Amino acid sequence: ERSMPNAATQPLFDAARAAGVGFYLGYAELTPEGRRFNTAVLVDGTGQIVGRYRKVHLPGHADHKPAAPFQHLEKRYFEVGNLGFPVWRFMDTIAGMLICNDRRWPEAFRVLALQGAEVVALGFNTPSENLDYPEPAALRVHHHLITAQAMAYQNAIWLVESAKCGFEDGNRMFGHSLIVSPTGEIAAQSLSEEDEVICVNADLDLGADLKRTVF
């Protein structure tokens, strides 16, 4: 996308403004200089973009692998993000953003937490199959869940991870969107591979108490 919002996404921004709802949106960004980033934006309840993050931890490979059952070419299409790990004052919270593979790296969360992040939003689309070695889908989900719980607890944050699920280009995405509390407990989790809404009335002071007493 050369601009955000644009004709395709403006209705989403308009609906958010009408409802007073903020959101996180991931997209492929093409800058005026011709650079490409895997990007996410935070949009507040007035429909205004308040923050932009460009993904740092790019998985996959840059060159075609003829013997591979499928290609994971994120390194071919995107540059490493150049904005660091900022946080923003967002709808009465301090919020940070990450994207997909970033969730496996404790340093990313710690940098956000050290800047006072109370909520971290993250979108991901992870296939059930590991391209590099045989791994049961259940184990991949297990790693996803324990990583989310550990990152939320160790940094005393609310963590919101939203998944693409179902099939895409013949590959299954394992879903498991979830909201994790600062205690590391899963407060809500999707149950299917269909469109779902999960929600939590989050007590932001819970994270503040943990930051003050435990960490």
Side-chain angles (χ1 to χ4, degrees):
E1 306 295 346
R2 296 178 182 273
S3 62
M4 187 60 60
N6 52 34
T9 57
Q10 188 63 55
L12 177 62
F13 283 71
D14 294 343
R17 182 172 60 253
V21 173
F23 63 92
Y24 162 115
L25 178 67
Y27 67 101
E29 179 188 10
L30 179 60
T31 72
E33 301 78 27
R35 304 179 70 181
R36 291 173 168 82
F37 296 100
N38 190 344
T39 298
V41 290
L42 272 180
V43 180
D44 68 14
T46 69
Q48 299 299 307
I49 292 175
V50 298
R52 175 175 279 102
Y53 169 70
R54 291 169 174 163
K55 185 177 178 182
V56 170
H57 298 98
L58 301 181
H61 48 95
D63 299 318
H64 179 73
K65 293 185 175 183
F70 60 92
Q71 304 297 310
H72 191 175
L73 292 167
E74 190 163 351
K75 284 186 171 73
R76 182 183 184 93
Y77 294 114
F78 296 115
E79 297 181 45
V80 172
N82 61 353
L83 301 177
F85 299 100
V87 299
W88 301 270
R89 292 199 174 275
F90 171 72
M91 300 184 72
D92 299 323
T93 72
I94 301 174
M97 288 184 284
L98 296 171
I99 298 173
C100 203
N101 189 46
D102 287 324
R103 73 191 191 275
R104 307 180 190 278
W105 301 84
E107 298 86 354
F109 287 89
R110 183 50 49 94
V111 171
L112 296 176
L114 289 173
Q115 296 174 87
E118 298 171 308
V119 176
V120 174
L122 181 152
F124 70 97
N125 58 324
T126 304
S128 298
E129 182 180 350
N130 189 327
L131 176 63
D132 297 309
Y133 61 92
E135 183 181 33
L139 184 58
R140 290 173 64 74
V141 171
H142 173 68
H143 290 158
H144 158 63
L145 296 177
I146 64 169
T147 299
Q149 292 179 267
M151 299 305 181
Y153 171 65
Q154 290 176 342
N155 295 285
I157 57 171
W158 284 92
L159 176 56
V160 181
E161 296 194 356
S162 181
K164 181 177 287 186
C165 58
F167 286 86
E168 182 177 81
D169 295 333
N171 295 293
R172 190 173 193 167
M173 306 293 167
F174 67 55
H176 286 80
S177 299
L178 76 169
I179 301 170
V180 187
S181 80
T183 62
E185 297 170 286
I186 296 175
Q189 181 177 312
S190 61
L191 300 175
S192 74
E193 292 188 0
E194 306 300 325
D195 289 340
E196 289 186 50
V197 175
I198 60 174
C199 61
V200 169
N201 186 11
D203 179 4
L204 296 179
D205 289 336
L206 181 59
D209 290 341
L210 284 169
K211 286 184 172 75
R212 183 175 61 252
T213 60
V214 179
F215 298 108

